[in-house]
Amino acid sequence: AQSVTQPDIHITVSEGASLELRCNYSYGATPYLFWYVQSPGQGLQLLLKYFSGDTLVQGIKGFEAEFKRSQSSFNLRKPSVHWSDAAEYFCAVGASSGNTGKLIFGQGTTLQVKP
Amino acid sequence: DAGVIQSPRHEVTEMGQEVTLRCKPISGHNSLFWYRQTMMRGLELLIYFNNNVPIDDSGMPEDRFSAKMPNASFSTLKIQPSEPRDSAVYFCASNRDRVYEQYFGPGTRLTVT
């Protein structure tokens, strides 16, 4: 069965510092992978997605993620964090369930940004 | 595009009362998902529909919960009777077949006292 693990429940970084949020997945075939962001009191917003091709994908708000098949990982990165990036981040994998688009979400990582 | 619309945004009710949450998916999307988010359990998929048909309701916590999708532009999630442990944020999301990216609504914050 597909699963997603985000090992870090909570991360604190200083504003301007680089960021990497970890995501590991379990999936038999080539996965469809996603990162979503949830700001306080808001719904989830898609940051970026990987379906195939270039393993380094660019998203909105200056985020990028790299798909590494050998490590079953899809880590999210940002070179310089802004205070507005404080939010909860979810990694997700597309489940093979008849193409209805079901996603399996990780437990989320809460990012705190220090001034 | 209006995005996924959920109503109400906030609901406060007393234990034992019936609660109905509503969702309008993005036009043209034919899959709809209901999630529940709590601090303790995180984001849980309750049920999802494809072409108005429930495909997987294994996440529905118990018989007090029911969901319907009478047409392509409307879905409801009903809790009867409600209990304090049902307090959570309920999200609705939609997408198209073979397009896994889901678009989320703003959520309904439910408080059961």
Side-chain angles (χ1 to χ4, degrees), chain B residues 24-56:
Chain B
K24 176 178 170 57
I26 293 173
S27 177
H29 286 191
N30 57 349
S31 287
L32 183 141
F33 305 80
W34 281 102
Y35 293 89
R36 179 173 68 176
Q37 187 178 40
T38 62
M39 290 291 291
M40 291 296 295
R41 302 175 66 91
L43 192 64
E44 303 173 274
L45 177 64
L46 300 177
I47 185 171
Y48 72 96
F49 295 84
N50 181 249
N51 295 324
N52 310 335
V53 175
I55 303 299
D56 183 355

Side-chain angles (χ1 to χ4, degrees), chain A residues 27 32 34 36 38 41-46 49 51 88 90 94-103 105-107, chain B residues 9 31 33 35 37 40-43 45 48 50 55-56 91 95-106 109:
Chain A
Y27 191 77
Y32 297 150
F34 304 83
Y36 282 82
Q38 183 182 25
Q42 304 295 314
L44 278 71
Q45 180 185 20
L46 180 67
K49 61 190 177 187
F51 286 173
E88 189 161 18
F90 293 91
S96 54
S97 56
N99 288 327
T100 54
K102 179 180 176 180
L103 294 178
F105 283 89
Q107 283 298 98
Chain B
R9 292 294 309 277
S31 287
F33 305 80
Y35 293 89
Q37 187 178 40
M40 291 296 295
R41 302 175 66 91
L43 192 64
L45 177 64
Y48 72 96
N50 181 249
I55 303 299
D56 183 355
F91 288 104
N95 66 7
R96 288 196 300 265
D97 274 354
R98 303 178 181 82
V99 179
Y100 277 87
E101 53 198 89
Q102 294 180 16
Y103 293 84
F104 281 75
R109 181 173 295 277

Side-chain angles (χ1 to χ4, degrees), chain B residues 5-111:
Chain B
I5 299 172
Q6 291 188 247
S7 64
R9 292 294 309 277
H10 301 272
E11 176 80 39
V12 180
T13 191
E14 293 183 347
M15 182 174 61
Q17 296 298 306
E18 177 180 295
V19 175
T20 300
L21 312 182
R22 297 173 176 80
C23 175
K24 176 178 170 57
I26 293 173
S27 177
H29 286 191
N30 57 349
S31 287
L32 183 141
F33 305 80
W34 281 102
Y35 293 89
R36 179 173 68 176
Q37 187 178 40
T38 62
M39 290 291 291
M40 291 296 295
R41 302 175 66 91
L43 192 64
E44 303 173 274
L45 177 64
L46 300 177
I47 185 171
Y48 72 96
F49 295 84
N50 181 249
N51 295 324
N52 310 335
V53 175
I55 303 299
D56 183 355
D57 65 356
S58 60
M60 295 287 261
E62 47 197 280
D63 291 345
R64 298 185 297 106
F65 286 69
S66 62
K68 294 182 179 179
M69 192 163 186
N71 57 61
S73 59
F74 184 66
S75 177
T76 59
L77 178 68
K78 185 177 294 186
I79 307 172
Q80 167 63 21
S82 58
E83 298 183 2
R85 59 195 169 114
D86 302 330
S87 297
V89 181
Y90 291 81
F91 288 104
C92 176
S94 70
N95 66 7
R96 288 196 300 265
D97 274 354
R98 303 178 181 82
V99 179
Y100 277 87
E101 53 198 89
Q102 294 180 16
Y103 293 84
F104 281 75
T108 295
R109 181 173 295 277
L110 174 64
T111 303

